[in-house]
């Protein structure tokens, strides 16, 4: 079965990860633009980051047979530097037009400040102008209140819930997200937050409609194989193959296909002789070339 990891920050990961993900059945991923661990000080740094998500990172994924799509945004944390935030928003329309951009995200709340609220709303407007879905980060602190505020903003602005993926849900927030008509993402982390067993319980209780699972792997303690591991846990627990296929392939495909840019035709053929602007992922190794 083909698997989809619809939220993973591959910029922070290695080629070993790509290799292991492809071997475990991951055929497509979405990489949302995010916080890089320390505050950026120039709009140009965002621009180069967007370009790398759409250029080098997509190339790198394809070198291991994985299709790579991106969502672009000013992340919630950096919305609090308003001078920088204004510069990033001014640049975004140009990038939202590009191939491989399947949503505006991650947007939403971190500390739930006024500035975060302002740039969250402005980016929902950008999504509307560009006919794109939104991928929404929910805060780690005060999550229920942050999720309620998020859903209230979507409702107030009249943004279509079917174009809204609310991410990082847990037992407390999932019923709110589903009742609002939005898609519900779940990030499976090692040791904390949502894990495989809790995800199995949620699917048993709420079914599979609009349910999505991701690894949210990044530069922190995380695991890029959480999607195949959670699929395996569901299979072990007796969840049907049809339901597993919905959660781990068809649901993310349906959601992001609403962008009109989720090209999944013809499995990519790996040719590691290829270069991106003169650069290879290899370091003198024998290139893999699929016939
Ligand atoms: Zn993320």
């Amino acid at each position: 079965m083909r698997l989809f990891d619809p939220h993973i920050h591959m910029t922070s990961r290695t080629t070993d990860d790509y290799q292991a993900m492809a071997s475990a059945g991951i055929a497509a991923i979405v990489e949302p633009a995010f916080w890089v661990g320390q505050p950026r000080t120039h709009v140009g740094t965002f621009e180069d980051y967007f370009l790398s998500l759409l250029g080098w990172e997509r190339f790198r994924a394809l070198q291991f047979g994985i299709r790579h799509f991106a969502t672009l945004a000013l992340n919630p944390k950096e919305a609090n530097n308003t001078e920088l935030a204004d510069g990033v928003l001014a640049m975004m329309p140009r990038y939202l037009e590009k191939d491989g951009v399947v949503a505006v995200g991650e947007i939403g709340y971190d500390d739930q400040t006024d500035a975060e609220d302002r740039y969250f709303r402005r980016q929902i407007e950008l999504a509307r102008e560009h006919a794109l879905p939104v991928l929404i980060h929910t805060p780690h602190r005060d999550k229920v209140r942050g999720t309620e505020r998020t859903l209230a903003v979507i409702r107030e602005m009249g943004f279509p819930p079917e174009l809204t993926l609310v991410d990082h849900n847990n037992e407390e927030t999932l019923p709110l997200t589903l009742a609002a008509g939005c898609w519900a993402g779940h990030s499976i982390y090692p040791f904390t937050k949502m894990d495989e067993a809790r995800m199995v319980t949620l699917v048993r209780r709420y079914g599979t409609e609009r349910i999505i699972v991701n690894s949210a792997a990044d530069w922190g303690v995380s695991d890029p194989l959480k999607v195949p591991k959670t699929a395996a846990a569901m299979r072990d627990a007796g969840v049907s193959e049809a339901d597993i296929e919905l959660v781990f392939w068809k649901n993310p495909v349906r959601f992001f296909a609403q962008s009109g840019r989720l090209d999944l035709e013809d499995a990519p053929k790996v040719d590691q002789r290829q270069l991106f602007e003169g650069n290879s992922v290899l370091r003198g190794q024998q290139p893999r070339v699929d016939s």
Side-chain angles (χ1 to χ4, degrees):
M1 186 186 293
R2 284 185 301 178
L3 302 172
F4 200 129
D5 191 339
H7 187 146
I8 185 163
H9 302 288
M10 291 309 296
T11 294
S12 320
R13 311 296 311 191
T14 64
T15 53
D16 286 1
D17 291 331
Y18 271 126
Q19 190 65 61
M21 289 160 64
S23 301
I26 295 177
I29 57 178
V30 168
E31 176 156 6
F34 82 144
W35 160 248
V36 295
Q38 68 179 52
R40 279 166 277 204
T41 54
H42 302 281
V43 174
T45 326
F46 276 87
E47 187 158 22
D48 285 339
Y49 174 59
F50 289 172
L51 284 166
S52 76
L53 292 183
L54 302 176
W56 174 245
E57 206 53 52
R58 177 159 46 171
F59 169 79
R60 220 161 68 98
L62 282 169
Q63 290 292 287
F64 296 90
I66 296 176
R67 288 174 187 287
H68 180 284
F69 305 93
T71 76
L72 300 183
L74 170 76
N75 64 85
K77 247 180 165 37
E78 285 171 301
N80 292 301
N81 177 345
T82 56
E83 194 184 326
L84 180 85
D86 284 335
V88 174
L89 259 71
M91 166 190 81
M92 276 180 57
R94 206 158 67 242
Y95 286 90
L96 294 179
E97 292 298 319
K98 296 200 184 280
D99 275 354
V101 178
V102 291
V104 173
E106 334 182 19
I107 55 175
Y109 295 114
D110 178 49
D111 260 342
Q112 306 187 44
T113 64
D114 290 345
E116 290 170 22
D117 188 67
R118 203 159 56 243
Y119 291 100
F120 180 28
R121 289 167 189 265
R122 282 178 60 185
Q123 293 189 94
I124 293 170
E125 279 306 333
L126 276 180
R128 197 187 333 252
E129 285 159 20
H130 292 265
L132 285 170
V134 292
L135 169 60
I136 302 180
H137 167 92
T138 51
H140 305 297
R141 296 173 300 278
D142 211 356
K143 187 183 266 298
V144 172
R145 186 169 149 262
T147 305
E148 285 168 346
R149 278 187 80 177
T150 296
L151 297 171
V153 167
I154 292 295
R155 204 164 39 238
E156 260 171 61
M157 294 186 68
F159 193 79
E162 65 273 18
L163 289 177
T164 306
L165 170 52
V166 176
D167 217 334
H168 315 311
N169 279 281
N170 62 20
E171 288 82 353
E172 288 184 300
T173 61
L174 174 57
L176 308 174
T177 301
L178 288 179
C182 300
W183 294 72
H186 302 80
S187 301
I188 312 298
Y189 295 96
F191 315 121
T192 59
K193 300 181 189 166
M194 191 54 59
D195 63 17
E196 290 94 320
R198 286 165 64 188
M199 197 60 230
V200 170
T201 306
L202 283 179
V203 161
R204 282 233 168 97
R205 173 144 184 219
Y206 294 97
T208 51
E209 202 186 324
R210 286 181 280 126
I211 299 286
I212 287 177
V213 171
N214 60 65
S215 70
D218 59 12
W219 31 251
V221 176
S222 51
D223 178 353
L225 298 181
K226 281 298 188 190
V227 161
K229 286 177 182 174
T230 308
M234 287 198 191
R235 194 166 285 122
D236 290 347
V239 175
S240 75
E241 287 301 307
D243 275 334
I244 294 173
E245 195 181 10
L246 271 176
V247 172
F248 296 97
W249 184 262
K250 288 184 175 167
N251 283 351
V253 166
R254 273 180 203 156
F255 179 75
F256 288 108
Q258 297 180 100
S259 67
R261 298 194 189 139
L262 194 79
D263 179 10
L264 290 166
E265 276 171 34
D266 311 324
K269 284 209 180 11
V270 173
D271 182 352
Q272 294 182 340
R273 295 168 305 186
Q274 289 172 342
L275 303 176
F276 179 84
E277 293 183 359
N279 295 309
S280 164
V281 293
L282 299 182
R283 295 292 178 268
Q285 295 89 352
Q286 190 64 31
R288 172 182 153 196
V289 182
D290 294 356
S291 54

